[in-house]
Amino acid sequence: MIRTILFALLLLFLFDRCAQQVSPTGGKKDSIPPNLVESNPLNKTLNFKGKKVELFFDEYVVVDNINQKLVITPEADNPYSYKQNGMSVLLSFKNEFKDSTTFTLNFGDAIRDFAEKNPAKNLKIVFSTGSSLDSGRVYGTLKDMQTGRPLFDALVGLYNISDTLDITKQKPYYFSRTDSSGVFSIENIQTRAYKLIAIDDKNRNMLFNAKDERMGFLEESVTAGVDSVSYNISMFLSDNTPIKIQRTIPKVNNYSVVFNKPVERVNVTFMNKDTLPYLLEAGGSLKFFNVEPHPDSTLVKLTAIDSLGTSADFEQKIAFQQQRGKDRQRDAFSLTTLPEPNRPLENTFTYKLILNKPVRSLDDKNITLITDSLSHEPLSSFQWSWNANHNIATITAKSFAKDSIKWDIPKGTIVSVEGDTLPKTFLKHPVLNEEDYGIIKGRVVNPDTASNYIVELVDEQYKMVKVKEGTTYTFSQVPQGKYFLRVTVDRNRNHRWDTGDMSKNRQPEPILYLKDKIILKANFELNDINITINEKSK
């Protein structure tokens, strides 16, 4: 009997333990931002004479770097302090606001919820110290010029018109940011003339960084509340900072002159009888190579030219480091090709061997094109030539291969100016099968005879696949896929797209996109894929 009672009590104990409720762990993450429920003054208050602004939210909030993120327009020289109190934030200003003026306090993402730090969205307060609110408005859309796509969260500003306007140092008088459709609207602004400028503002400091931020502008001034039009602005990269030598890197084997920005070309003039091999590397670095014999230093004159066509002249002394051992430490000698390895080739093709150093010698009798197990043709049997810096060999060749085209480059056949040799290299490409590809044909409609036209076929990542100049085009051997067609209006006929320069009030050359995406299937031909030039783009 006692054993039965003890067993029953044990079962009750275990059942009680199993039935206990435990609070669930984790839970859905709070992604809802704090909402403004009241403010003092109320939004759009008139005749405001106070020096305090208080915001009340529906949950506990924290303040994040408000001194940097809160933007007051028009810009007011009025210092303030802030106090965070649970579900409210109080701003106390030192002075009263300027009379008869409409002010906008835009908080950006400076106020966030306490739990998950979600920022309050579109948080701004508008009030007037006069008897009416300024009602001027400027609106429109932004798009990227190279892709035609709308830009999100770009800064669109209205600037006071001035001969000394410098957007790298001056913030806009009024501003707005674009939504996901690239749309902007600047409201409650004084009715007068402004300069309208848009910038990427990636670091959100409201200043233009020419090195990596896009910008766009209108040539003529705009008048808020008078011009009832939607402004369309195209954004582009335009680094108009002066070219400078940022630093030099002397080594035993080479000497690099590094510019502060990418340059398209550098003209080099040696000031004495000595000469040195050199080449311009990607990213704006001009490298000279140490070739014996040479003096302790070599004086050169450099003329660097950027993508805007701006040039700068420098005199530079090239002085290599002294060698401290028997062996030199060389950078690796490497090769790339165009087309890249494993890309299909036609039987008649143009090919480029691209070396990272100027070449001293190339044995074109021992570099061979292999078309089958028995056919080995030396490079010397084809037409080929060097570029000016002797690091790119362009080859025009013909093969009778059925399956693959191969280049055999034995060790020792290519030697750099530093004396090192390219290791044995074997390059292979399949022979292009026309049935695996398609054709796209079309023309430029309504062209301007004074301009040249650059027609590009680009993929879904906007990488250029094919290019043709003129008003008609045929793109053959195009892989199956989805594409866009864009046309650059080459107004100065220099065979490239030229960016704009706001300091000269010069817009970039227009780039137009075909509205519809092109879908191409293998072994198909698409005709009359035309793009029309409007009068404004001529």
Side-chain angles (χ1 to χ4, degrees), residues 45 137 161 198 280-281 297 398 440 462 480 485-486 498:
T45 289
R137 178 183 178 225
I161 297 174
L280 182 63
E281 298 180 315
S297 63
K398 187 173 184 179
I440 303 174
Y462 300 95
Q480 175 176 295
L485 188 72
R486 71 183 177 200
D498 289 314

Side-chain angles (χ1 to χ4, degrees), residues 8 86 136 148 195 254 257 264 306 351 369 391 463 510:
K195 183 72 173 178
N254 53 65
V257 179
E264 289 208 339
D306 65 13
Y351 204 78
L369 179 68
N391 75 306
K463 182 180 178 181

Side-chain angles (χ1 to χ4, degrees), residues 175-358:
F175 82 96
S176 174
R177 291 190 179 272
T178 54
D179 63 16
S180 59
S181 299
V183 174
F184 68 89
S185 179
I186 310 174
E187 302 172 346
N188 301 113
I189 54 182
Q190 295 176 10
T191 304
R192 56 184 176 85
Y194 301 93
K195 183 72 173 178
L196 179 59
I197 304 171
I199 61 176
D200 263 343
D201 195 30
K202 294 177 180 178
N203 57 6
R204 303 184 73 84
N205 67 351
M206 302 185 69
L207 299 174
F208 177 51
N209 178 7
K211 287 188 177 297
D212 61 0
E213 290 183 349
R214 290 164 293 187
M215 64 94 64
F217 65 95
L218 294 180
E219 294 149 281
E220 305 297 329
S221 62
V222 300
T223 302
V226 175
D227 299 325
S228 57
V229 296
S230 176
Y231 295 103
N232 299 314
I233 302 176
S234 294
M235 302 280 281
F236 53 91
L237 286 170
S238 177
D239 185 358
N240 60 1
T241 54
I243 305 172
K244 297 178 181 178
I245 293 178
Q246 184 169 294
R247 67 182 185 277
T248 59
I249 307 174
K251 295 182 180 180
V252 174
N253 293 311
N254 53 65
Y255 186 100
S256 293
V257 179
V258 182
F259 297 98
N260 64 321
K261 61 188 293 189
V263 293
E264 289 208 339
R265 67 182 187 275
V266 181
N267 299 327
V268 179
T269 303
F270 292 91
M271 306 299 287
N272 49 35
K273 294 182 180 180
D274 186 44
T275 60
L276 295 168
Y278 62 89
L279 60 83
L280 182 63
E281 298 180 315
S285 178
L286 181 67
K287 182 178 286 187
F288 293 87
F289 292 85
N290 188 355
V291 179
E292 298 288 356
H294 65 80
D296 291 338
S297 63
T298 300
L299 186 64
V300 296
K301 181 180 179 181
L302 308 176
T303 300
I305 304 166
D306 65 13
S307 60
L308 294 172
T310 305
S311 64
D313 294 326
F314 309 94
E315 283 193 3
Q316 181 66 39
K317 184 174 70 173
I318 309 300
F320 301 99
Q321 283 186 343
Q322 294 297 317
Q323 186 172 336
R324 294 187 176 181
K326 292 183 179 181
D327 298 324
R328 290 188 179 186
Q329 295 297 317
R330 298 184 178 92
D331 296 332
F333 190 26
S334 62
L335 166 72
T336 56
T337 66
L338 281 178
E340 299 89 353
N342 300 316
R343 292 291 297 270
L345 290 179
E346 293 183 86
N347 283 113
T348 299
F349 59 92
T350 299
Y351 204 78
K352 287 188 178 183
L353 302 175
I354 305 168
L355 289 307
N356 67 330
K357 300 177 186 180

Side-chain angles (χ1 to χ4, degrees), residues 333-339 341 351-355 359 361-370 376-379 386 393 395 405-415 421-429:
F333 190 26
S334 62
L335 166 72
T336 56
T337 66
L338 281 178
Y351 204 78
K352 287 188 178 183
L353 302 175
I354 305 168
L355 289 307
V359 172
S361 64
L362 183 148
D363 184 356
D364 62 359
K365 291 181 175 56
N366 284 310
I367 296 175
T368 55
L369 179 68
I370 304 172
H376 291 64
E377 294 183 83
L379 175 58
W386 286 115
I395 307 163
I405 298 170
K406 302 163 225 176
W407 286 104
D408 183 13
I409 305 175
K411 181 178 180 180
T413 52
I414 302 180
V415 181
T421 182
L422 195 72
K424 179 177 174 58
T425 305
F426 194 77
L427 305 167
K428 184 176 180 180
H429 300 266

Side-chain angles (χ1 to χ4, degrees), residues 398-465:
K398 187 173 184 179
S399 166
F400 297 97
K402 295 182 179 180
D403 299 317
S404 61
I405 298 170
K406 302 163 225 176
W407 286 104
D408 183 13
I409 305 175
K411 181 178 180 180
T413 52
I414 302 180
V415 181
S416 82
V417 292
E418 292 186 333
D420 51 349
T421 182
L422 195 72
K424 179 177 174 58
T425 305
F426 194 77
L427 305 167
K428 184 176 180 180
H429 300 266
V431 174
L432 187 143
N433 183 357
E434 294 284 355
E435 293 184 356
D436 295 335
Y437 299 87
I439 299 173
I440 303 174
K441 295 181 179 181
R443 62 189 178 93
V444 176
V445 179
N446 195 28
D448 174 14
T449 56
S451 298
N452 180 42
Y453 292 89
I454 304 170
V455 184
E456 293 177 287
L457 189 71
V458 299
D459 63 18
E460 292 184 286
Q461 286 71 49
Y462 300 95
K463 182 180 178 181
M464 194 265 287
V465 177

